[in-house]
Amino acid sequence: MKISIERGALLKAVAQAQSVVERRNTIPILANVLIEADGNSVTFRATDLDIEVVDKADAVVERAGATTVSAVTLHEIVRKLPDGALIQLTDDGATGRLTVEAGRSNFSLATLPKEDFPVMASSEYSANFSAPAPVLRRLFDKSKFAISTEETRYYLNGVYMHVSEAEGGKVLRCVATDGHRLARIDADLPAGAEDMPGVIVPRKTVGEMRKLLDDDDATIAVSVSETKIRFATPAITLTSKVIDGTFPDYTRVIPSGNTRKLEVDAAEFAQAVDRVATVSSERSRAVKLQLDEDRLILSVNAPDAGAAEEELAVAYGDERLEIGFNAKYLLEIASQVDRENAVFMFNSSGDPTLMREGNDTSAVYVVMPMRV
């Protein structure tokens, strides 16, 4: 194999590949990226056996062929080479080495046989649809903060993507929860997604797939089966196993009878929570909200560190209420609001609280209170 490729194109392709690779591997081949050159392009394939990413880049292929080389090492070399450099990759197969040349720099890297590289089995996808990158970005960005990190509740270690009923008809919905807070985000149902099976997309996949969604003009082809999900752009294909488990009935924890309504400027609220939480030694310390007519007092009392209080002008017309929350959870939920106003719906100091953006019901958040 012998190819010439521009540094920028190679860096982009190798960066995506090396981020999938697990740093600590017991199987040496899994630390490698499979490089396959043919025609006038080269593909880079990396896997951790749960996720597989295939990145395609244009290159001048003098001699077709394939080899595998350490993904992290290749990425580090390419990253440190000067901008605009033309990089030549040569592998003759006999020496077990891949030569990387650019200008006066020359590297010789150990390779492993391409035959040893595991390729993810192809799957029959029961649903295929396309969605604009900004739509998918919103679905996953606004829900991923609520993904659970508890290994024992593995079925909560991802975002549940499924078709659901909403007020205006069927929607594509993403839900994540860790038992303390919940995010439910809806988008218009794309054509072809009607028969999509509900799948739990693992946290690592959400992070990797997020890199495909930065281009606002991109359209992502999504394919879903009972066991796998695939996101593809013309240059990159990311295939992942989904979590084998049943996501709990989240509709039971979304309160529908909360009548006490607080309307507050989302940015002001987040900054005030952040300020009063400074005195608490732990980030999980409760922040107390005292609600009176058109007035909100945020307070933290940490006996070992001190106390803090801040008053905000808000829109609130119900009876007096005192309720406590984990400061970190409040901040994370408030930071999801793109519009000016956040609307909180309370019932009592012991019941879950609902939050949405203005009158928009396509993004709904639930947070459990704490004793204060």
Side-chain angles (χ1 to χ4, degrees):
M1 179 185 84
K2 188 174 185 183
I3 62 167
S4 300
I5 185 168
E6 197 269 321
R7 175 193 176 264
L10 181 57
L11 183 62
K12 192 166 176 288
V14 178
Q16 182 84 36
Q18 66 90 33
S19 68
V20 169
V21 168
E22 288 292 339
R23 288 290 183 270
R24 292 183 293 279
N25 258 318
T26 48
I27 309 170
I29 194 75
L30 291 182
N32 283 15
V33 57
L34 173 63
I35 305 170
E36 296 172 294
D38 193 25
N40 56 2
S41 67
V42 58
T43 59
F44 300 84
R45 188 185 297 264
T47 184
D48 66 358
L49 297 181
D50 289 324
I51 304 175
E52 179 186 77
V53 65
V54 182
D55 209 322
K56 202 171 188 177
D58 292 332
V60 177
V61 180
E62 290 179 45
R63 195 166 64 238
T67 189
T68 82
V69 67
S70 165
V72 174
T73 308
L74 182 59
H75 176 252
E76 282 297 293
I77 288 170
V78 177
R79 192 174 64 79
K80 292 171 184 175
L81 287 171
D83 252 354
L86 187 68
I87 299 171
Q88 199 169 65
L89 303 178
T90 312
D91 173 68
D92 65 3
T95 57
R97 298 275 170 193
L98 176 76
T99 309
V100 182
E101 294 173 273
R104 296 180 181 180
S105 305
N106 189 309
F107 303 86
S108 177
L109 305 179
T111 61
L112 287 171
K114 62 179 187 291
E115 292 78 19
D116 295 351
F117 194 87
V119 174
M120 197 177 266
S122 59
S123 187
E124 283 294 313
Y125 293 103
S126 53
N128 296 281
F129 60 92
S130 293
V135 171
L136 289 175
R137 188 168 68 217
R138 176 178 175 272
L139 282 171
F140 285 97
D141 275 5
K142 284 181 172 293
S143 56
K144 67 183 180 188
F145 76 92
I147 295 174
S148 173
T149 52
E150 267 184 70
E151 293 302 321
T152 49
R153 300 165 81 188
Y154 64 93
Y155 48 85
L156 296 182
N157 294 164
V159 172
Y160 180 42
M161 183 179 177
H162 60 297
V163 177
S164 187
E165 290 285 345
E167 289 163 13
K170 288 194 168 181
V171 291
L172 181 62
R173 176 173 288 176
C174 280
V175 179
T177 183
D178 63 359
H180 303 291
R181 61 256 165 96
L182 176 145
R184 190 201 77 193
I185 319 297
D186 292 348
D188 292 339
L189 189 67
E194 298 82 10
D195 300 325
M196 181 188 110
V199 290
I200 306 170
V201 185
R203 177 196 288 100
K204 182 175 177 181
T205 306
V206 172
E208 290 303 324
M209 176 267 297
R210 179 63 185 75
K211 297 169 191 172
L212 313 187
L213 306 179
D214 281 334
D215 180 3
D216 282 352
D217 299 325
T219 298
I220 312 295
V222 184
S223 304
V224 187
S225 74
E226 296 281 354
T227 55
K228 291 200 183 87
I229 188 162
R230 187 177 71 194
F231 300 93
T233 68
I236 302 174
T237 303
L238 182 117
T239 310
S240 168
K241 292 178 182 172
V242 297
I243 292 173
D244 181 14
T246 306
F247 201 80
D249 180 7
Y250 60 87
T251 55
R252 293 214 315 265
V253 298
I254 298 177
S256 56
N258 289 13
T259 53
R260 298 178 179 185
K261 182 180 177 184
L262 160 72
E263 204 161 333
V264 59
D265 181 294
E268 267 183 32
F269 177 75
Q271 288 160 7
V273 171
D274 201 20
R275 280 193 290 269
V276 296
T278 311
V279 299
S280 68
S281 46
E282 305 151 32
R283 295 299 289 160
S284 64
R285 192 62 59 84
V287 172
K288 185 159 81 171
L289 279 64
Q290 289 169 273
L291 284 156
D292 263 327
E293 190 160 334
D294 292 344
R295 193 173 71 141
L296 166 65
I297 296 173
L298 296 161
S299 61
V300 168
N301 192 3
D304 49 345
E309 191 174 284
E310 183 160 340
E311 189 174 316
L312 288 177
V314 297
Y316 181 76
D318 288 282
E319 66 243 46
R320 197 169 184 277
L321 175 70
E322 286 192 4
I323 188 167
F325 293 103
N326 178 318
K328 177 170 172 274
Y329 296 167
L330 270 191
L331 277 173
E332 283 180 337
I333 282 181
S335 68
Q336 303 305 320
V337 180
D338 296 328
R339 301 171 186 221
E340 202 168 302
N341 283 357
V343 173
F344 288 86
M345 302 296 291
F346 302 98
N347 186 27
S348 76
S349 60
D351 291 314
T353 293
L354 192 86
M355 197 279 278
R356 61 172 196 260
E357 305 177 35
N359 294 320
D360 183 9
T361 54
S362 71
V364 169
Y365 307 92
V366 179
V367 59
M368 298 298 289
M370 277 178 84
R371 277 212 181 90
V372 282

